[in-house]
Amino acid sequence: MNNRKRILITGAAGFLGSHLCDRFIKEDYHVIAMDNLITGRLKNIEHLFPLENFEFYNQDVSTFIHVPGDLDYILHFASPASPIDYLKIPIQTLKVGSLGIHNCLGLAKAKGARLMIASTSEVYGDPEVHPQTEEYWGHVNPIGPRGVYDEAKRFQEAITMAYHTYHGLDTKIIRIFNTYGPRMRLNDGRVLPAFIGQALRGEDLTIFGDGSQTRSFCYVDDLVEGIYRLLHSDYNQPVNVGNPDEISIGDFAEEIIKLTGTDQKVIYQDLPVNDPKQRQPDITKAIKILGWEPKIDRAEGLKRTYAYFKSLSTEELNKKEHNNFDKYVK
Ligand code: NAD
Ligand code: UDP
């Protein structure tokens, strides 16, 4: 018998989940990875399969979940996360943010485990306060196309806080702002893989709207460090974690063109409905409570991420779909 802490990570085969698996394995935890592979890929975690302190359950978190043995921590990260994904699978998105978290909270209560949810800057919607502080309640259209994601995440925060208040469960809420890095799916529709994929395939870069909307991009290793610190803190209120270095999407496209050396142009397409006009985290709380600040600037993060995308095979680069929607969605 060993004394390893046992952690359940849902959404473990996804972009962030797989990096979390790596981190907790590195810290010598016993990692129980759960995923139904709807937008994730086993390839992201297959290097961990030979380890004795890693196990994988192919399981839909929105149905009943059972994990034998003790559990010290649960990270609920399962959820479609890109606008294209949650537009294509809206019901699954709502379910994993409601039924899925309810199952995880029940499991945490039964096991006496500490639980963290992956919330998002999308709880602020198209924000009228800039930069966004945790005190801002947001500006969300509940019945707009993005509502399925935003409202699921807001419900997730509400039920998590209720379990904390009424059952005394030790819960953490992290509000993650746009994060990027290796293992993002090339055509998951998010702006960074979209632009890099287009540059690598010799296609024009598609800017939605006039490119004046802003985002603030955080490199994945910085986010993982923030998650690790918040999980081990005694703080139960929501905390923003992201990189406040804000850039317009138009300028971001120019950076990608320089980075990749492509001679492609940018082309303009319609702005998706309810696309937030601006987004920048106020990270005062994370600095004060967690002693956390991002360390990897965009130039370095983009270099590392580009190296990953460049290493993919031509077949992968030209694949139409990088998800399992057909298999899982009836
Ligand atoms: P991702 O799509 O790469 O990973 C999500 C994973 O969850 C996938 O492996 C998918 O198969 C799995 N999943 C979805 N529904 C499931 C279900 N019902 N049961 C089991 N597994 C299921 O996305 P990501 O970027 O890694 O996002 C991970 C989490 O972080 C999500 O909850 C997302 O909302 C949150 N988040 C991410 C960002 C970001 O910038 N990457 C920003 C804010 C919040
Ligand atoms: N975007 C774009 N071209 C693309 C993909 C996205 O101009 O090919 C824009 C999108 O409209 C949004 C921003 O880039 O304003 C970030 O989009 P993403 O899907 O990465 O994440 P969001 O922050 O909107 O959830």
Side-chain angles (χ1 to χ4, degrees):
M1 198 59 192
N2 62 56
N3 294 323
R4 281 194 182 112
K5 295 281 184 204
R6 289 166 59 83
I7 185 165
L8 169 68
I9 302 178
T10 76
F15 161 50
L16 295 182
S18 64
H19 285 278
L20 287 168
C21 289
D22 286 344
R23 175 63 186 262
F24 283 91
I25 287 287
K26 195 165 145 223
E27 303 286 347
D28 202 29
Y29 283 59
H30 183 96
V31 173
I32 300 157
M34 192 176 278
D35 204 295
N36 68 350
L37 305 176
I38 192 163
T39 64
R41 297 184 302 175
L42 282 181
K43 195 165 176 266
N44 289 339
I45 48 171
E46 68 190 1
H47 58 287
L48 301 173
F49 275 66
L51 303 178
E52 51 134 356
N53 56 327
F54 181 81
E55 46 187 313
F56 176 70
Y57 289 13
N58 186 338
Q59 168 78 43
D60 182 347
V61 182
S62 304
T63 61
F64 177 77
I65 53 174
H66 173 68
V67 175
D70 293 338
L71 270 183
D72 300 290
Y73 302 99
I74 298 178
L75 299 183
H76 182 47
F77 274 63
S79 171
S82 98
I84 282 196
D85 288 349
Y86 55 75
L87 288 181
K88 284 192 187 151
I89 45 172
I91 313 288
Q92 283 82 356
T93 303
L94 282 159
K95 281 167 77 175
V96 75
S98 52
L99 309 178
I101 182 59
H102 190 217
N103 289 333
C104 289
L105 285 162
L107 186 66
K109 187 162 147 276
K111 304 277 185 184
R114 181 179 289 191
L115 174 143
M116 177 188 281
I117 55 163
S119 190
T120 164
S121 51
E122 284 280 330
V123 299
Y124 303 122
D126 187 5
E128 291 162 316
V129 165
H130 193 74
Q132 293 78 56
T133 62
E134 290 86 349
E135 283 67 41
Y136 178 49
W137 292 349
H139 179 225
V140 172
N141 176 1
I143 55 161
R146 299 173 85 105
V148 295
Y149 181 70
D150 301 6
E151 294 297 1
K153 292 290 185 179
R154 288 166 68 97
F155 172 84
Q156 185 165 259
E157 288 200 10
I159 192 171
T160 298
M161 199 42 88
Y163 267 70
H164 173 65
T165 310
Y166 293 102
H167 292 308
L169 207 67
D170 191 359
T171 54
K172 314 288 166 199
I173 299 175
I174 185 161
R175 291 188 181 151
I176 302 168
F177 283 64
N178 296 66
T179 299
Y180 68 98
R183 300 187 192 150
M184 291 184 98
R185 273 174 21 241
L186 252 182
N187 60 0
D188 81 353
R190 287 185 272 197
V191 67
L192 180 137
F195 284 173
I196 292 189
Q198 288 161 343
L200 286 172
R201 287 188 299 266
E203 299 165 0
D204 293 334
L205 274 61
T206 51
I207 292 185
F208 299 162
D210 63 5
S212 63
Q213 72 272 33
T214 67
R215 294 296 185 270
S216 308
F217 296 100
C218 181
Y219 188 67
V220 61
D221 290 3
D222 280 332
L223 176 78
V224 167
E225 180 62 28
I227 291 169
Y228 193 81
R229 289 191 191 197
L230 179 60
L231 184 68
H232 294 98
S233 77
D234 56 10
Y235 194 70
N236 301 110
Q237 297 294 312
V239 181
N240 289 339
V241 175
N243 189 324
D245 187 7
E246 185 183 12
I247 184 171
S248 75
I249 294 302
D251 288 347
F252 189 58
E254 290 307 321
E255 280 195 3
I256 300 291
I257 286 173
K258 261 203 207 113
L259 172 80
T260 57
T262 178
D263 48 15
Q264 300 303 312
K265 312 186 293 302
V266 298
I267 51 171
Y268 294 88
Q269 297 184 349
D270 289 346
L271 190 67
V273 177
N274 297 147
D275 195 287
K277 283 180 265 319
Q278 51 183 359
R279 186 180 290 155
Q280 183 190 35
D282 181 319
I283 58 165
T284 311
K285 250 192 194 181
I287 294 172
K288 204 166 138 213
I289 294 163
L290 311 177
W292 176 90
E293 263 186 291
K295 298 252 180 312
I296 299 160
D297 65 15
R298 208 169 47 246
E300 175 59 26
L302 286 181
K303 213 166 77 188
R304 295 187 198 179
T305 308
Y306 181 46
Y308 166 78
F309 283 120
K310 255 200 323 197
S311 74
L312 299 178
S313 65
T314 318
E315 189 199 353
E316 181 87 353
L317 190 62
N318 292 313
K319 216 155 76 180
K320 281 260 174 305
E321 292 296 340
H322 292 260
N323 57 54
N324 290 313
F325 293 169
D326 295 344
K327 190 164 164 205
Y328 291 92
V329 182
K330 302 271 182 301

